Amino acid sequence: MTLKHDLGTFEGFNFRDQAALDQNLTADEVLDWDHDGAGEAEFWPAGDHPGVASVFDRKSAVTGSELEALDDLLGQLGQDDTETFLRIRYAVHDRGLDLAGLTAAEVEDAPLYLYRGTNFGDLYREAGYDLFEAYYPDLYALWEKTPCDGLHFDPVAFLESPGFTLAEVTLSGEKWLLVHPD
């Protein structure tokens, strides 16, 4: 099988040689690896594709079937941008769904808010105010109009309440805050 999407390159370890592979392999080369002829091996993302690295960041090794499942899911979703990979990452890591059985609907239908920036402090502030306004428009309008200077809204405390699940991700130096309302 040839993959339809660029999933970056992979590092590997050959157990027969008891050594790291001397070069990175493409995802297609990982799928085509002859474990009988070339030796049993395991592979993991080399990090040149941040989206793929984020999906597999908690795994010690990636299987060919996982690469095929990811490629198929990307085809169903119709895009392979950073936000799509983060939505898949969230479904697998934070919701505990199995990549092999993950559907496009499960990824697309999850009410996930994504915020991108250079530091998490700014992202928490942006997300906190944005979601306060979205989920409590009347209270937000009242808070915004109040003449009381001492009335304080804490966006971090708001987001860290039991009403939200948060995930902080750094990809290629960019910070991403993923917020899922519970």
Side-chain angles (χ1 to χ4, degrees):
M1 173 182 180
T2 300
L3 300 173
K4 296 177 184 96
H5 299 89
D6 174 15
L7 301 181
T9 62
F10 292 78
E11 297 176 17
F13 185 84
N14 187 316
F15 290 102
R16 179 176 26 186
D17 299 339
Q18 287 297 300
L21 299 180
D22 58 357
Q23 67 181 24
N24 290 348
L25 304 177
T26 66
D28 283 317
E29 290 171 327
V30 169
L31 287 178
D32 294 339
W33 183 265
D34 179 7
H35 290 277
D36 292 328
E40 283 295 319
E42 64 180 27
F43 307 96
W44 56 90
D48 59 337
H49 191 299
V52 172
S54 74
V55 170
F56 296 117
D57 75 343
R58 295 183 186 163
K59 294 188 62 66
S60 61
V62 177
T63 66
S65 62
E66 289 171 319
L67 293 175
E68 290 172 335
L70 178 59
D71 188 63
D72 181 56
L73 183 57
L74 292 170
Q76 291 175 40
L77 292 166
Q79 47 191 336
D80 61 356
D81 60 1
T82 302
E83 290 190 14
T84 301
F85 280 101
L86 287 171
R87 289 181 176 285
I88 294 169
R89 178 202 184 282
Y90 184 80
V92 172
H93 292 292
D94 299 299
R95 293 180 57 207
L97 301 176
D98 182 29
L99 180 61
L102 191 59
T103 67
E106 289 172 313
V107 173
E108 293 172 329
D109 294 345
L112 183 64
Y113 298 90
L114 302 167
Y115 297 89
R116 177 181 68 197
T118 57
N119 69 71
F120 287 114
D122 289 346
L123 293 177
Y124 273 84
R125 248 184 321 283
E126 178 186 352
Y129 285 106
D130 183 41
L131 295 173
F132 179 34
E133 182 178 17
Y135 281 88
Y136 303 99
D138 295 337
L139 290 175
Y140 181 84
L142 181 64
W143 172 78
E144 215 174 30
K145 291 178 186 176
T146 185
C148 179
D149 289 338
L151 189 57
H152 176 71
F153 172 70
D154 184 346
V156 174
F158 175 74
L159 290 174
E160 290 178 345
S161 73
F164 298 102
T165 301
L166 308 171
E168 296 177 357
V169 179
T170 301
L171 298 177
S172 300
E174 273 190 323
K175 309 294 185 202
W176 289 83
L177 179 64
L178 288 60
V179 183
H180 181 272
D182 291 333

